Amino acid sequence: MVQRRFPPVSSVATMPFLLLLAFLTSAIHGQAASPEVGTVQILGFKYAGDGCPPGSAEGEVSDDGHAITVMFSRYTASTDAGLDGRRKTCTVTVNLSYPPGFRFHLGTVTTRGYAKLDAGVTATAQTSYYIAGEPGTARAKHVIDGPFDGDFEFTDEFTDEFNVLPYSKCNVIRDLNLRSELRAGAGLITGRSDDLRLTQEFSIIWESC
Ligand SMILES: *[C@@H]1O[C@H](CO)[C@@H](O)[C@H](O)[C@H]1NC(C)=O
């Protein structure tokens, strides 16, 4: 039979101190502050660009409010269709609602799709975001080197030239703009082989304000 163990007296005495330390550490970093589950919602979702014709994009936000996923069903850059097809873009505009007392920036973008490239050529996925009325544009860029033939998934961090990522304004909801660009040097970059979708998942980093 397993006996229930109680901590020795000394560790009971240090416990309040450790809890206090944990609390102070999280307070100093301004973290541990995220909106409650279910309170972050997409109220408006628009998109425009030759990479996302009408009816070809959808967006959703995770229950915990930590990720926005955008799914494209017709985003293809390809040299098969001549030079016009080798570069495609899409700008998605999201009206994200969230409780007062929080602000956010985006952390990373994870892009999933399919590419087919000959040796010596590259495809590029470049993504940027900005918040209407706020300074700065942050970018994330990924280059796929040929030869390549298959599904890909990569995660890139957003950075901007001043090392200050664009933040949403405290207690004011402004449009969040997500701009992507796919380029194929010679070959194809498009949706995945199983569901034919190109998806981008954006991580949302919250803090209280
Ligand atoms: C977001 O949607 C809400 C509700 O429809 C609206 O009141 C607000 O003006 C919208 N914000 C932007 C930036 O479009």
Side-chain angles (χ1 to χ4, degrees):
M1 211 177 118
V2 180
Q3 285 206 326
R4 190 151 173 209
R5 296 196 182 197
F6 293 91
V9 174
S10 65
S11 73
V12 170
T14 56
M15 223 160 352
F17 172 72
L18 289 177
L19 287 174
L20 180 68
L21 196 65
F23 171 77
L24 286 176
T25 308
S26 68
I28 286 165
H29 291 290
Q31 293 166 350
S34 294
E36 273 184 49
V37 169
T39 60
V40 180
Q41 288 171 342
I42 293 181
L43 293 187
F45 185 84
K46 291 180 288 185
Y47 50 93
D50 56 8
C52 51
S56 72
E58 294 168 50
E60 62 186 35
V61 65
S62 63
D63 265 357
D64 66 6
H66 285 285
I68 295 175
T69 303
V70 182
M71 292 147 283
F72 300 97
S73 58
R74 288 166 64 191
Y75 208 161
T76 299
S78 161
T79 45
D80 291 349
L83 289 184
D84 281 358
R86 65 192 292 178
R87 175 178 170 273
K88 292 287 172 73
T89 66
C90 183
T91 301
V92 172
T93 303
V94 182
N95 178 338
L96 193 68
S97 100
Y98 48 93
F102 293 99
R103 65 176 196 160
F104 72 90
H105 67 84
L106 299 184
T108 59
V109 54
T110 299
T111 304
R112 300 184 190 95
Y114 171 88
K116 186 166 168 48
L117 304 166
D118 290 338
V121 301
T122 59
T124 310
Q126 188 158 281
T127 311
S128 58
Y129 88 87
Y130 64 94
I131 289 162
E134 296 301 303
T137 297
R139 294 187 168 77
K141 183 177 171 179
H142 200 99
V143 177
I144 308 171
D145 291 309
F148 191 96
D149 182 4
D151 289 324
F152 63 78
E153 171 174 336
F154 43 77
T155 298
D156 298 288
E157 214 168 313
F158 281 108
T159 56
D160 91 338
E161 55 264 59
F162 309 112
N163 275 329
V164 189
L165 293 175
Y167 271 90
S168 64
K169 203 171 170 63
C170 202
N171 297 340
V172 181
I173 294 180
R174 297 251 175 88
D175 281 340
L176 166 65
N177 295 284
L178 309 168
R179 186 179 185 281
S180 56
E181 177 183 310
L182 298 181
R183 276 173 196 260
L188 169 75
I189 177 166
T190 186
R192 281 176 86 87
S193 52
D194 52 358
D195 60 4
L196 306 180
R197 285 174 151 192
L198 185 114
T199 63
Q200 289 203 296
E201 186 179 310
F202 299 87
S203 71
I204 313 175
I205 316 293
W206 295 99
E207 60 181 56
S208 49
C209 62

